[in-house]
Amino acid sequence: MRYRIFVVSEASLEKSAGRVGLRSVAGPNSAVDRVTAEIRRGVLNGTLKAGSSFSIADLSVQLGVSHIPVREALRRLETQGLITLRPGRSAIVNPLDRDELRSIYRLRKLIECDLAARACIGLTPADLDEAERLLKAFTHYELDADESWEIHKQFHLALLRPALTEWDLRLLEQLWHACDRYTRVVYETYQIDREERRRREIAHRLLIDAARTGSPAELKLAVNEHLAEHELACLEWMAALPPTS
């Protein structure tokens, strides 16, 4: 099974010029949590373009908070590999990099395939029913991008949960955060029509079918192939981008 690749120019990823298009943050969660989520959203959806720089002062004004939660949020995002803090109260969105992508997927394959094999024998009918429910929500319902990706993450966690430790989850979250800005840009360029929904359903149903066999080797292989397909789609998308000056 091959993924369809859409050529997306760098210009099409830039949502605005000058000021970055972030929303004011307000709500019951801590200011740092809200700021982290909003800046991360901007990086993942291309509002904060890869390679672009911005000042902490400008972000503070747009988000409606002081510079303290902004700086702390940027520190968190730096540990996720999304941005780099620079001297002088500024930061840069880390450029997309093929070697980084390959490294992320190399580690994901090592960790997720091992977890899948160990989780397989512990999966219950209830776990598989939950995976089915999440798959239906992910592929059949009209959701915004953030909701869709959250359900997608929960689907994969459902198949790994019997083997997950707190440290496994921490490592997965780190890798998924780093990977998201590649995969989300690629897959959100697809036209989500009936054919595309069906393709996504088949790709993920293969994982459930492998889990239902009760064979650790079968599920491990299915997860490895699933990740390899994603990696290839991202690399082909990056190769199709016009060279940057």
Side-chain angles (χ1 to χ4, degrees):
M1 178 173 59
R2 298 283 291 177
Y3 286 85
R4 294 176 289 157
I5 304 301
F6 292 75
V7 177
V8 183
S9 68
E10 287 284 353
S12 70
L13 297 179
E14 190 168 9
K15 308 298 184 188
S16 61
R19 287 166 58 87
V20 293
L22 299 180
R23 308 170 297 192
S24 176
V25 292
N29 297 330
S30 76
V32 175
D33 289 342
R34 299 196 306 272
V35 171
T36 301
E38 181 60 14
I39 297 175
R40 183 170 181 272
R41 184 193 68 83
V43 172
L44 295 183
N45 68 19
T47 298
L48 291 169
K49 180 183 175 184
S52 65
S53 61
F54 51 89
S55 74
I56 292 174
D58 284 345
L59 284 183
S60 298
V61 171
Q62 289 198 64
L63 297 171
V65 295
S66 73
H67 73 277
I68 296 174
V70 172
R71 181 172 288 278
E72 180 57 34
L74 292 175
R75 288 195 185 102
R76 290 184 183 181
L77 295 170
E78 187 171 40
T79 67
Q80 296 174 9
L82 297 182
I83 66 100
T84 296
L85 283 167
R86 302 194 299 185
R89 296 176 176 268
S90 67
I92 184 170
V93 180
N94 288 337
L96 299 176
D97 182 82
R98 292 178 181 81
D99 289 337
E100 176 187 63
L101 181 69
R102 292 187 183 99
S103 294
I104 292 168
Y105 272 98
R106 175 176 58 81
L107 293 171
R108 287 191 63 183
K109 289 172 189 174
L110 286 172
I111 295 172
E112 292 178 51
C113 292
D114 175 72
L115 284 171
R118 292 190 291 110
C120 189
I121 57 176
L123 287 169
T124 66
D127 292 327
L128 296 174
D129 288 345
E130 174 66 3
E132 291 277 5
R133 184 189 69 79
L134 291 165
L135 176 58
K136 183 177 181 180
F138 174 57
T139 57
H140 287 74
Y141 301 150
E142 294 293 337
L143 304 167
D144 67 31
D146 290 337
E147 290 174 327
S148 179
W149 284 100
E150 178 60 26
I151 291 174
H152 177 257
K153 182 181 80 171
Q154 292 303 322
F155 169 84
H156 284 279
L157 284 175
L159 296 178
L160 302 178
R161 189 162 286 115
L164 282 176
T165 67
E166 182 178 341
W167 273 104
D168 292 323
L169 189 55
R170 288 180 185 176
L171 289 172
L172 284 180
E173 290 283 357
Q174 185 86 350
L175 289 169
W176 287 351
H177 282 319
C179 196
D180 273 356
R181 70 196 190 109
Y182 294 91
T183 55
R184 284 186 62 153
V185 170
V186 172
Y187 293 108
E188 286 176 18
T189 63
Y190 290 179
Q191 181 181 356
I192 312 301
D193 53 18
R194 180 178 297 180
E195 180 184 351
E196 176 60 17
R197 289 182 185 277
R198 179 59 177 161
R199 186 197 64 75
R200 294 186 183 191
E201 180 179 14
I202 291 171
H204 290 82
R205 182 160 298 285
L206 290 173
L207 298 176
I208 296 179
D209 291 343
R212 289 193 184 280
T213 68
S215 167
E218 287 288 333
L219 184 54
K220 182 177 183 178
L221 178 61
V223 170
N224 185 76
E225 291 180 346
H226 187 78
L227 292 175
E229 290 279 1
H230 282 212
E231 180 182 14
L232 178 61
C234 292
L235 288 170
E236 289 184 342
W237 170 78
M238 294 177 70
L241 288 174
T244 57
S245 56

